[in-house]
Amino acid sequence: MEEQREKSYHVNMLVNLLLKYPEIYTITFNIPASSCRLSYMVKGQIGQDECRELQQKLQEYLEAFYFFSRGEEPCRFKLLRNSYPGLTQIQLCIRGQFPLDGVISLFTHVVREHFSNGLITEFRRECEASFLAGELSDQSTPAVPNRKVNRLFAFREAGRVYVFDK
């Protein structure tokens, strides 16, 4: 019973993050390693210098966030970039204590601000978002007995959020 509650907690967390932040393209959450990987898609090709500038800005904001809110050591993160024709995928690999909702909110805000109109985001009306949140919280798939949840992968497509146990 406790394991199923833990699994639903992590699934609900991912669903809520993707509904709350339509800028996030995918989330991979590794429970045993206490790490997650957020990906964002940006129109056009992003160079190495711009990625370094973004990483430095994220580090500065993160240190200020921890200084003012917790006084603890900031979580660690790394920025990765993958280029595709006409697109760049920015991945933020975060390690630290969970829940990281404040850190994810901060990172998403900085990425949105940094890339302005180039960031690909899902557009939906406010009434659709609240309807989907209610619809998703009522649906759940039955858990497989004695199965340990290790890695969850979540993405959004056409207003729906999908979560897979890898």
Side-chain angles (χ1 to χ4, degrees), residues 24 27 31 85 125:
I24 299 175
I27 302 174
I31 297 167
R125 295 184 306 248

Side-chain angles (χ1 to χ4, degrees), residues 39-58:
S39 71
Y40 304 88
M41 294 300 279
V42 181
K43 297 175 194 168
Q45 299 299 311
I46 306 301
Q48 190 65 30
D49 290 340
E50 190 169 1
C51 281
R52 264 193 292 264
E53 181 183 320
L54 175 62
Q55 184 162 359
Q56 183 178 354
K57 187 186 289 188
L58 288 167

Side-chain angles (χ1 to χ4, degrees), residues 59-74 106:
Q59 185 64 43
E60 290 170 4
Y61 278 60
L62 182 65
E63 288 172 6
F65 173 78
Y66 272 89
F67 177 79
F68 287 114
S69 66
R70 299 187 180 140
E72 299 171 7
E73 190 70 24
L106 174 70

Side-chain angles (χ1 to χ4, degrees), residues 83-94:
S83 295
Y84 302 100
L87 296 172
T88 303
Q89 179 187 44
I90 302 294
Q91 294 184 358
L92 295 174
C93 307
I94 307 168

Side-chain angles (χ1 to χ4, degrees), residues 10 12 16 20 34 39 42 61 67 69-70 72 80-82 87 104 106-107 110-111 117 137 152 155 160:
H10 292 107
N12 287 334
N16 288 333
K20 188 173 182 180
S34 290
S39 71
V42 181
Y61 278 60
F67 177 79
S69 66
R70 299 187 180 140
E72 299 171 7
L80 303 172
R81 169 183 59 106
N82 297 312
L87 296 172
I104 292 171
L106 174 70
F107 281 176
V110 172
V111 168
N117 296 333
S137 63
L152 298 172
F155 68 97
R160 294 192 181 270

